[in-house]
């Protein structure tokens, strides 16, 4: 029997596990995040006054996945919007419903808290798109990004 993971807010005691998952996430995207930014990101994720927040998936006492999210205002809606910025599940736990549980958690949380929408981006060739398409089909928007 496949026992679903527990999804909860990240806690200070999750830092080591989160950092390991964060490193794996950055390897997956072939990205390098400076240590001071990683430290500051973790601090902001735990700060209840900050719009960033983290939800973790835990199974048998082990953190095996996370979502890093940004709750923000919008100009076309009155209610908050949630941007799921980062989602990562350990390779060993993939295919076991953890990613699905993490997204479902945000859907449920958003409905409970009155968010207007939840959105995320991914690479065109990300194998997780099969899962994402179960929730909603990708739209036709093109992303432009300029580093400053």
């Amino acid at each position: 029997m496949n026992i679903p993971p527990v999804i909860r807010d990240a806690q200070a005691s999750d830092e080591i596990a989160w950092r390991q998952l964060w490193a794996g996430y950055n390897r997956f995207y072939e990205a390098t995040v400076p240590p001071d930014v990683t430290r500051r990101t973790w601090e902001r994720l735990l700060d209840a006054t900050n719009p960033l927040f983290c939800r973790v998936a835990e199974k048998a006492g082990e953190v095996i996945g996370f979502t890093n999210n940004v709750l923000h205002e919008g100009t076309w809606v009155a209610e908050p919007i949630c941007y799921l910025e980062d989602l990562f599940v350990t390779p060993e736990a993939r295919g076991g419903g953890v990613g699905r549980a993490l997204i479902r958690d945000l859907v449920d949380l958003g409905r409970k808290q009155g968010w207007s929408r939840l959105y995320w981006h991914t690479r065109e060739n990300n194998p997780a798109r099969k899962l994402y398409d179960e929730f909603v089909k990708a739209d036709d928007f093109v992303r432009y990004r300029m580093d400053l």
Side-chain angles (χ1 to χ4, degrees), residues 19 21-35 37-38 85-86 88 123 143 145 147:
R19 282 178 176 269
L21 292 168
W22 179 245
Y25 177 79
N26 282 287
R27 277 191 304 276
F28 177 82
Y29 278 108
E30 300 173 341
T32 302
V33 177
V37 174
T38 293
E85 187 164 1
D86 312 305
F88 188 74
R123 286 192 175 154
R143 181 180 78 156
R145 184 174 82 185
D147 292 335

Side-chain angles (χ1 to χ4, degrees), residues 16-73:
I16 292 171
W18 179 86
R19 282 178 176 269
Q20 290 171 340
L21 292 168
W22 179 245
Y25 177 79
N26 282 287
R27 277 191 304 276
F28 177 82
Y29 278 108
E30 300 173 341
T32 302
V33 177
D36 61 318
V37 174
T38 293
R39 178 191 52 76
R40 183 71 182 114
T41 297
W42 177 248
E43 290 171 356
R44 290 181 295 161
L45 289 170
L46 294 182
D47 180 353
T49 65
N50 195 287
L52 295 178
F53 68 99
C54 177
R55 301 286 285 172
V56 297
E58 182 180 62
K59 210 167 192 180
E62 179 184 357
V63 175
I64 56 173
F66 69 75
T67 60
N68 294 329
N69 314 281
V70 184
L71 199 58
H72 64 87
E73 298 293 327

Side-chain angles (χ1 to χ4, degrees), residues 41-134:
T41 297
W42 177 248
E43 290 171 356
R44 290 181 295 161
L45 289 170
L46 294 182
D47 180 353
T49 65
N50 195 287
L52 295 178
F53 68 99
C54 177
R55 301 286 285 172
V56 297
E58 182 180 62
K59 210 167 192 180
E62 179 184 357
V63 175
I64 56 173
F66 69 75
T67 60
N68 294 329
N69 314 281
V70 184
L71 199 58
H72 64 87
E73 298 293 327
T75 59
W76 293 10
V77 294
E79 299 80 15
I81 301 165
C82 183
Y83 172 42
L84 190 176
E85 187 164 1
D86 312 305
L87 185 153
F88 188 74
V89 173
T90 62
E92 303 78 27
R94 290 183 192 152
V98 178
R100 181 176 290 103
L102 283 162
I103 295 171
R104 172 60 49 206
D105 168 70
L106 290 174
V107 170
D108 293 345
L109 192 61
R111 287 181 175 149
K112 180 180 173 186
Q113 294 185 3
W115 304 343
S116 61
R117 99 176 54 106
L118 169 67
Y119 71 102
W120 60 93
H121 306 123
T122 195
R123 286 192 175 154
E124 187 175 27
N125 63 351
N126 187 336
R129 287 192 63 194
K130 182 178 176 185
L131 167 64
Y132 302 158
D133 287 345
E134 291 178 19

